[in-house]
Amino acid sequence: VEADALRLRWSDHDQNAAPVEYDSHWLRKFAYSTPVIEDETAARQARFAMAPRDLSKGDLQQLPQVTLERISSGDEGVFEWMSKMNESGFCMVRNCGTEDGTVERVANLIGPVSHTIYGDTFDVKATPKPINIAYTDSALEPHMDLAYFESPPGVQMLHCIRFDSGVRGGDSTLIDGHAVAEEFQQRHPEAFRTLSQIPATFQKDHMDRAHPIKMFYQRPHITTNYLDQVTAVYWSPPFEGPLRVKEEFVEPYYKAYNAFRAMLLSDEMWDKYGCVFRLAPGDLLVFNNRRMLHGRNAFTSEAGTRHLQGCYLDVDTYLNKYRVLADRYDPQAADACLAAPGESRFGTSSHR
């Protein structure tokens, strides 16, 4: 051992060769010892946002947020924005204006948007012949988007372009699916195990549209790492198809499904981990699509228009940008590698 390095000369190697050198910082970073792993776990822990449940008539300043001016000022502002996203699972970008296409321009501060079956961007407003339940004025229960993709988007952005005062209802809803899943695991361990093992069927089966779609994917509702810690929640009732498993798994699955749904919709969970708020024109909501379950209250559109424009970012684009910026602005976070704060909440790594 010399200074900040460990130098080894292996007995079965050429003794005249230079020793192999390991930097002490690198060795600690990848150590297997329990204290190191516990320190790493504490450092990367995401925070469950605590805010009053009903903000529909209140001050949205209590939510994690940044301004468009701040994130447009340079990469340091973008890193601040992404750090809030990683920690809380969502962040509001304020003062974005109401120009069409803004959501894609904001997303491009992180990276190129994902092209999906809805295009590069999509408009959420009531239409006469909707190709998605979101394009109606109906209520939407908490859900993630595109669960029927093999790799659902990691991040979703929704920009409020118009929300007329005559529109009654239409408040946005957001709840931390990971927080609910972790409480579910503590209270109903057998049901939790069922939802993390039995694959649900997610589907988009729609032939009556300009570009017909037949997409199906099977996966459990909850994914965990090797320590049984939650890394992603896949929950999308409007896009769930018939269960395709052996008969003996059907009843346990539906019992567990109903138990989780009851907890997810309970006042207790919404008081602890959810919030309801009315977007204003110029607000842009950004959230982790694999952690935060979003929805809305029903609304009436006869006396006005509610118009959101959205887009997606794939998780690799998002996390790559975050890691690069962390290396520049927060080396300690960058050192965490696959265990940066909140990173495991995107379902991409099996953290230690």
Side-chain angles (χ1 to χ4, degrees):
V1 179
E2 297 180 19
D4 294 325
L6 174 67
R7 294 179 175 83
L8 296 176
R9 183 174 282 109
W10 302 101
S11 60
D12 56 349
H13 286 196
D14 181 1
Q15 296 303 297
N16 294 319
V20 180
E21 183 173 309
Y22 297 95
D23 177 76
S24 60
H25 180 75
W26 185 92
L27 288 170
R28 177 170 178 80
K29 178 178 176 180
F30 294 103
Y32 300 108
S33 64
T34 298
V36 170
I37 292 175
E38 288 178 345
D39 288 347
E40 185 181 278
T41 300
R44 67 153 189 273
Q45 184 62 49
R47 178 176 65 90
F48 296 132
M50 302 299 289
R53 173 179 174 181
D54 187 358
L55 295 170
S56 58
K57 298 181 180 62
D59 186 357
L60 298 190
Q61 295 296 329
Q62 297 174 83
L63 298 179
Q65 62 185 275
V66 293
T67 64
L68 179 61
E69 180 182 16
R70 173 58 176 157
I71 65 177
S72 299
S73 65
D75 280 345
E76 189 171 2
V78 174
F79 180 66
E80 178 186 327
W81 170 34
M82 298 181 77
S83 296
K84 290 182 178 183
M85 264 281 297
N86 277 16
E87 183 178 23
S88 299
F90 70 104
C91 185
M92 190 83 76
V93 182
R94 311 301 299 276
N95 306 328
C96 293
T98 57
E99 185 179 348
D100 187 274
T102 295
V103 70
E104 184 171 6
R105 290 191 289 274
V106 171
N108 287 161
L109 293 172
I110 296 174
V113 302
S114 300
H115 184 82
T116 73
I117 59 175
Y118 300 105
D120 290 340
T121 63
F122 53 91
D123 293 282
V124 182
K125 54 185 177 181
T127 59
K129 192 177 180 181
I131 60 172
N132 187 300
I133 190 174
Y135 304 165
T136 70
D137 54 11
S138 301
L140 297 177
E141 284 193 9
H143 66 283
M144 75 174 296
D145 276 13
L146 308 190
Y148 43 83
F149 275 48
E150 185 276 334
S151 182
V155 172
Q156 180 171 176
M157 299 188 179
L158 291 170
H159 175 218
C160 183
I161 291 178
R162 184 174 173 182
F163 205 143
D164 295 341
S165 58
V167 176
R168 289 181 295 175
D171 292 341
S172 298
T173 64
L174 202 62
I175 189 167
D176 196 323
H178 285 206
V180 177
E182 290 179 3
E183 293 229 12
F184 188 71
Q185 182 180 30
Q186 295 299 314
R187 302 185 196 185
H188 308 284
E190 190 60 39
F192 177 90
R193 192 156 34 250
T194 296
L195 293 186
S196 63
Q197 293 177 349
I198 297 178
T201 302
F202 296 98
Q203 67 178 41
K204 176 69 173 177
D205 188 3
H206 191 181
M207 294 295 292
D208 185 20
R209 54 179 283 168
H211 302 286
I213 300 296
K214 276 191 170 292
M215 298 184 71
F216 306 89
Y217 199 83
Q218 287 183 284
R219 56 162 53 89
H221 287 288
I222 300 169
T223 59
T224 62
N225 64 6
Y226 74 106
L227 294 175
D228 217 21
Q229 298 167 327
V230 175
T231 58
V233 174
Y234 299 95
W235 189 261
S236 193
F239 300 98
E240 291 171 14
L243 194 64
R244 298 180 63 84
V245 297
K246 290 184 176 181
E247 183 180 357
E248 61 264 30
F249 297 109
V250 174
E251 187 172 350
Y253 168 84
Y254 282 113
K255 284 184 176 179
Y257 182 99
N258 288 332
F260 183 76
R261 181 177 179 273
M263 177 174 279
L264 177 66
L265 299 180
S266 70
D267 286 341
E268 179 192 4
M269 292 297 103
W270 278 89
D271 287 340
K272 293 175 72 173
Y273 305 120
C275 55
V276 181
F277 50 92
R278 185 181 178 96
L279 290 169
D283 287 342
L284 196 155
L285 177 65
V286 188
F287 57 93
N288 180 339
N289 186 51
R290 301 182 181 185
R291 172 182 172 185
M292 308 302 295
L293 302 176
H294 68 291
R296 69 161 183 246
N297 294 334
F299 63 96
T300 58
S301 52
E302 293 89 351
T305 297
R306 179 186 188 271
H307 178 194
L308 310 183
Q309 191 169 73
C311 69
Y312 303 105
L313 286 170
D314 71 75
V315 70
D316 299 300
T317 295
Y318 177 88
L319 290 178
N320 175 64
K321 180 74 170 186
Y322 175 77
R323 293 167 188 154
V324 169
L325 294 183
D327 191 67
R328 187 182 308 164
Y329 298 110
D330 189 357
Q332 185 175 355
D335 277 347
C337 192
L338 290 178
E343 182 162 334
S344 60
R345 299 289 179 182
F346 285 91
T348 58
S349 58
S350 179
H351 52 263
R352 302 197 293 167

